[in-house]
Amino acid sequence: MTEPVQPRGSLPTVVVVEDDHGIQELLRFTLERGGYQTFCADSAEQAEALLRGSLPDVVIIDWMLPGISGLALTRRLRAGARTRGLPVLMVTARGEEPDRVAGLEGGADDYIVKPFSPKELIARVQAVLRRRAPELAGGTLHIGALQLDTDSHETRVNGERITLTPAEFRLLRFLMANPGRVYTRQQLLDNVWGDHVYIEDRTVDAHIRRLRVALGPHAEQMVETVRGAGYKLGVPAEQT
C-alpha cells in the first residue's frame, strides 16, 4: 500500500513517478543530494495515492508509464482543483518536437529528455520552482535586514544568524518570496503547511509570534499585521 506524502522538516518535496526502478533510484539519489525530500511511485495509480496526503512541491513524471500514461496523469492533475497548480516536469526518451509540444500542451511545465545529467535535472527542477513557487527555489532571499539561504537553511538578521524551527523557516521563506503581499491565515496555512493539515487558523498567530521573537526588536516592522486581513512581509522603502 502506497502511503501519502508526509513531509519531514523544511526541505522541498518531490514526487517521482517512474516505473523503471534503476532510473527511479537515480532520480531519487540526484534529488536527495540536491536537497529535496523524494517520494517515489511506480505508476499513475500509486502517484495519485501519494498525492492524497500533502501535495509535493514538484512532480516528476515519466511519459511511458504502465497503464495510465504519464501524459494522461499530467492531464488529470491539471483537471483537478486541488492539483492543477502543481509544478510538473515530464521525463521521457521521446525527444522529437511533436512529443515535446504534446507534453507541454498536456500540462507539463517543462520537459527533459533521457539521457540527462544530474546537473540538468536539478537545474530544470529549480527553474520550474522559480516560475511556479519562487519561495522554494534554491538561492538566497534578501529583504531589508533579513537574509534567508534556502540551500543552507540559514537565516540572518543584520548579519547575525538566528535559529528558527522548520515551520518558522517555511513561513518566513514564503513571506520573503512574496514581499508586500497580504495573506490571510487560511492562505498561509494552505501555502506553508499544506491543504491536508486540519488545524485552527489561529495557529498561524502563534507561529507569527514565535517568528517575531526570533527576529528580534524590529520584528513587527518586518512581519506586519494587516488588521482584518492577515499578515505581510514589510518591504523597506529603498527596495520598493
Side-chain angles (χ1 to χ4, degrees):
M1 181 178 176
T2 303
E3 294 294 329
V5 171
Q6 297 293 340
R8 302 175 302 277
S10 57
L11 294 176
T13 54
V14 181
V15 164
V16 171
V17 192
E18 168 62 69
D19 63 309
D20 184 316
H21 285 186
I23 296 175
Q24 185 186 102
E25 283 305 309
L26 175 63
L27 289 168
R28 182 202 293 272
F29 177 77
T30 300
L31 290 163
E32 290 183 348
R33 285 198 64 180
Y36 298 89
Q37 291 182 61
T38 308
F39 302 84
C40 295
D42 297 341
S43 65
E45 292 84 357
Q46 285 188 15
E48 289 175 331
L50 280 173
L51 297 176
R52 292 189 190 110
S54 175
L55 291 179
D57 300 306
V58 184
V59 183
I60 297 176
I61 302 176
D62 181 57
W63 183 311
M64 300 296 289
L65 294 173
I68 300 168
S69 72
L71 185 59
L73 173 60
T74 301
R75 288 174 175 151
R76 283 191 183 190
L77 296 179
R78 290 291 175 252
R82 182 170 177 262
T83 56
R84 64 168 55 107
L86 273 177
V88 174
L89 176 63
M90 186 162 284
V91 176
T92 180
R94 304 169 69 127
E96 298 299 320
E97 182 179 354
D99 296 319
R100 294 198 300 271
V101 170
L104 295 171
E105 289 183 344
D109 293 284
D110 202 355
Y111 194 101
I112 184 168
V113 178
K114 302 173 186 175
F116 50 83
S117 70
K119 285 185 178 180
E120 182 184 6
L121 175 67
I122 295 298
R124 288 186 180 272
V125 169
Q126 290 177 341
V128 166
L129 283 173
R130 280 195 296 271
R131 294 197 296 271
R132 285 272 190 167
E135 72 275 9
L136 295 172
T140 301
L141 299 172
H142 198 158
I143 305 289
L146 290 173
Q147 183 176 315
L148 185 146
D149 190 319
T150 62
D151 296 322
S152 66
H153 284 247
E154 291 185 357
T155 308
R156 296 179 183 274
V157 179
N158 290 318
E160 294 294 323
R161 185 174 177 180
I162 62 172
T163 301
L164 300 178
T165 67
E168 291 160 4
F169 184 89
R170 292 195 305 270
L171 177 58
L172 183 60
R173 179 175 62 188
F174 180 76
L175 291 171
M176 288 184 70
N178 301 279
R181 181 173 175 178
V182 179
Y183 288 92
T184 66
R185 295 181 183 90
Q186 189 58 53
Q187 287 173 327
L188 289 172
L189 280 174
D190 289 345
N191 283 284
V192 178
W193 282 268
D195 63 355
H196 70 297
V197 177
Y198 300 100
I199 55 178
E200 293 290 331
D201 60 5
R202 291 287 175 180
T203 302
V204 173
D205 298 343
H207 284 283
I208 291 286
R209 284 195 298 272
R210 288 198 290 268
L211 177 58
R212 284 172 171 166
V213 169
L215 293 177
H218 303 292
E220 293 204 11
Q221 285 73 50
M222 298 176 189
V223 181
E224 300 178 17
T225 300
V226 181
R227 294 194 179 279
Y231 298 100
K232 71 174 183 178
L233 189 85
V235 183
E238 64 270 18
Q239 289 189 240
T240 58

